[in-house]
Amino acid sequence: MEIPIQKKKQIEQFTEFIVRDYSNGYVTDLESIALTEDIPCYYDHYEKFFDGMLLFDGSKFHIHLNIDRGNAPQSKRSRFTWAHELGHYFLDEHREGLRSGKFKPHPSFTNLVRNNLIEMEADYFASCLLIPSYKIRDASPGKGFSFGTIINLSDTFQTSILATLIRSAEVGFHEIFVVISKDNIVKWFLRSS
C-alpha cells in the first residue's frame, strides 16, 4: 500500500505553505503551529500505550505525547510524533473523521512497517513538515555524501537520524539504500529513486 502520488503532492505543497510561516531557519516551530490552531499538547506518562494521540473532546482537539515511549519534550523523536499528530489534524479527512466520530481516537506508534493509509499519510505529513524538500536540498552538501551528512542534517532540522534518512531517500538528492535487520533477517528497507 502506498500513498497516491497526487495525495503526496498535496501534502507536500500544504506543509511548505505552513513551514514558510512557522520556521526558524531550518527548524519548524511545532509549538507555534499548535498555539495558532489552539491545540494544547501534553507530555505525560502513558506507559507503553502509544507514542502520540490526537483526541477531540467534543469542542477542541488535544495532542498527547508519551514520555514513556521516548517522546521527551524537545527531543528529536517527540518532534516527529508531534508533527505526525498535527498531520492527523491538518489532513481534512483525518480531522473530520475524528470530529464526526467516523474515526475512533487511535494510538499512534512509531513503526517502520505501515499498512494503514491514514498512518502513512500522517507520517508523510510529518516528514514534509519537519524536512521540506526545498530546505533539505539547500542544507545538503553538493558532493561527498556520507553518514555524517545524515547526522548533520538531523541536527540541522532537529529530526531523528531515521526520519532524516527516510526523507533524504524520498527527496533523492543522493543515492541511498537503508536496510533494517534483526537477527540477520531484513525487516524493512528503503531506497531512493
Side-chain angles (χ1 to χ4, degrees):
M1 175 182 311
E2 288 189 36
I3 302 170
I5 291 172
Q6 187 60 31
K7 181 69 174 190
K8 279 185 157 185
K9 286 180 183 177
Q10 289 172 344
I11 291 170
E12 188 137 6
Q13 288 173 347
F14 185 64
T15 57
E16 284 181 11
F17 175 77
I18 295 170
V19 166
R20 291 188 197 286
D21 288 337
Y22 294 99
S23 67
N24 182 7
Y26 290 106
V27 179
T28 303
D29 186 349
L30 302 175
E31 186 172 351
S32 290
I33 295 169
L35 285 171
T36 299
E37 294 298 320
D38 194 27
I39 307 170
C41 183
Y42 311 95
Y43 285 92
D44 210 341
H45 297 277
Y46 303 104
E47 298 180 8
K48 300 292 181 181
F49 293 114
F50 59 85
D51 283 318
M53 188 179 296
L54 177 69
L55 296 173
F56 182 68
D57 68 6
S59 63
K60 188 176 195 171
F61 284 93
H62 303 265
I63 293 175
H64 295 269
L65 300 173
N66 190 353
I67 295 169
D68 295 331
R69 298 258 316 158
N71 290 295
Q74 302 307 315
S75 72
K76 292 177 179 182
R77 177 182 168 86
S78 74
R79 286 178 46 74
F80 188 87
T81 305
W82 195 349
H84 173 99
E85 298 308 324
L86 285 171
H88 286 310
Y89 174 79
F90 278 109
L91 295 169
D92 291 337
E93 58 275 14
H94 298 209
R95 181 184 61 257
E96 293 310 316
L98 285 167
R99 187 186 316 263
S100 70
K102 179 181 175 185
F103 297 160
K104 299 292 180 216
H106 64 278
S108 293
F109 289 95
T110 302
N111 189 352
L112 288 172
V113 180
R114 294 274 196 202
N115 57 7
N116 179 317
L117 187 58
I118 289 172
E119 291 301 303
M120 291 168 61
E121 289 175 351
D123 279 350
Y124 190 71
F125 181 97
S127 70
C128 293
L129 185 68
L130 295 172
I131 311 171
S133 60
Y134 71 97
K135 285 191 175 192
I136 195 170
R137 286 188 182 101
D138 181 56
S140 302
K143 295 183 180 183
F145 179 80
S146 69
F147 190 65
T149 302
I150 296 298
I151 292 170
N152 289 337
L153 289 171
S154 167
D155 290 340
T156 298
F157 289 97
Q158 287 300 292
T159 53
S160 70
I161 290 172
L162 184 57
T164 307
L165 268 169
I166 292 169
R167 186 66 174 146
S168 297
E170 288 171 345
V171 172
F173 64 91
H174 289 288
E175 293 179 1
I176 298 174
F177 191 84
V178 181
V179 177
I180 305 288
S181 66
K182 183 177 180 183
D183 299 325
N184 293 322
I185 298 171
V186 172
K187 298 291 185 179
W188 178 85
F189 71 91
L190 174 72
R191 65 186 171 117
S192 59
S193 58

